Amino acid sequence: MPALSHRLLGYAVVVTGFLSLAFGLTTLSVLDYFGLEGAPAAEVGSFLNQNLSLLQASMMAAMVGYVIAVPMMLIITAATFRGEAPRGWRGDFALGLVWASLPLRPLWWAALITLMPALLAASRPDADPDVARTTFVTYQMLYTLLNTTTEDIAVNILGGGWFVLVGLTMASSRRLPALLGWIGAGIGLLYLVSSAELFGLPLGTSGNIIPLVAGVAGPFWLGAAGILAVRKIT
């Protein structure tokens, strides 16, 4: 009975994390929310007023999904390195990458959800122009800073490194399907490449395509690998 309850709990974590990420990121992409960086204040205000309810729901789902991605990654890590005695540096390093990303993952979403009432007030026709201008400048600064912290560092670099390490180990150990491991390693490379511009390496038009592919494929891989991993460790 304990094993069954642990397995059901594991499945619940994986499915909830997958659905939250899939709904949140897909909806935000369809709305083209990520295209607002650097947009004029009037455009941002109009976008928020037109899509407020759906935007809040999708951002909340993405925030929850990014937090739940941590136990999903821990489950997959445990299954990938299961049976190694001692576990070795790769397993410890994989765990370190997961825990290092945890404090950074929800920052962007939590801050932007909190800022929405102020942005809506600043976009009203009767709003003080100086206050509105300051509010939107602050928003753009936080958007860029937290986007770099959450997406580039927590997800692309730390998360991408985890995908590569776990994927290659999975492919070589065959504790989980080798093909799944190779796919995971490939997704990890896409995540890492997505942050190349941080290091002065221009991506050109690929700078929009590569992060999109990684962002869509990543949650699906976590869902598939997570379901298989739960069965291995319970």
Side-chain angles (χ1 to χ4, degrees), residues 5-116:
S5 62
H6 291 165
R7 179 171 292 188
L8 291 176
L9 178 60
Y11 286 147
V13 169
V14 171
V15 172
T16 301
F18 165 70
L19 291 177
S20 297
L21 284 172
F23 169 74
L25 297 179
T26 300
T27 304
L28 290 169
S29 296
V30 170
L31 292 174
D32 195 25
Y33 173 74
F34 302 108
L36 284 182
E37 185 174 3
E43 183 178 334
V44 174
S46 175
F47 178 87
L48 293 178
N49 281 288
Q50 291 175 12
N51 303 285
L52 181 61
S53 297
L54 185 56
L55 186 61
Q56 287 177 320
S58 56
M59 291 181 73
M60 185 65 70
M63 182 177 68
V64 169
Y66 270 128
V67 173
I68 298 180
V70 170
M72 292 171 71
M73 294 164 74
L74 292 175
I75 290 171
I76 296 168
T77 301
T80 301
F81 295 95
R82 186 181 180 89
E84 290 194 7
R87 184 177 58 217
W89 72 268
R90 292 184 303 173
D92 290 334
F93 192 63
L95 289 175
L97 289 172
V98 176
W99 287 116
S101 72
L102 175 59
L104 303 177
R105 286 179 174 271
L107 277 178
W108 190 31
W109 311 101
L112 296 183
I113 290 171
T114 304
L115 273 174
M116 276 190 191

Side-chain angles (χ1 to χ4, degrees), residues 25 66 151-152 155-157 159-161 163 184 186-196 210-211 213-219 222:
L25 297 179
Y66 270 128
E151 290 297 308
D152 287 316
V155 176
N156 293 342
I157 296 176
F163 267 88
I187 293 172
L189 287 175
L190 292 178
Y191 274 123
L192 290 171
V193 171
S194 296
S195 292
I210 293 176
V213 173
V216 171
L222 286 175

Side-chain angles (χ1 to χ4, degrees), residues 14 79 121 136 156 167 228 231:
V14 171
F136 279 99
N156 293 342
L228 295 174
R231 297 182 63 182

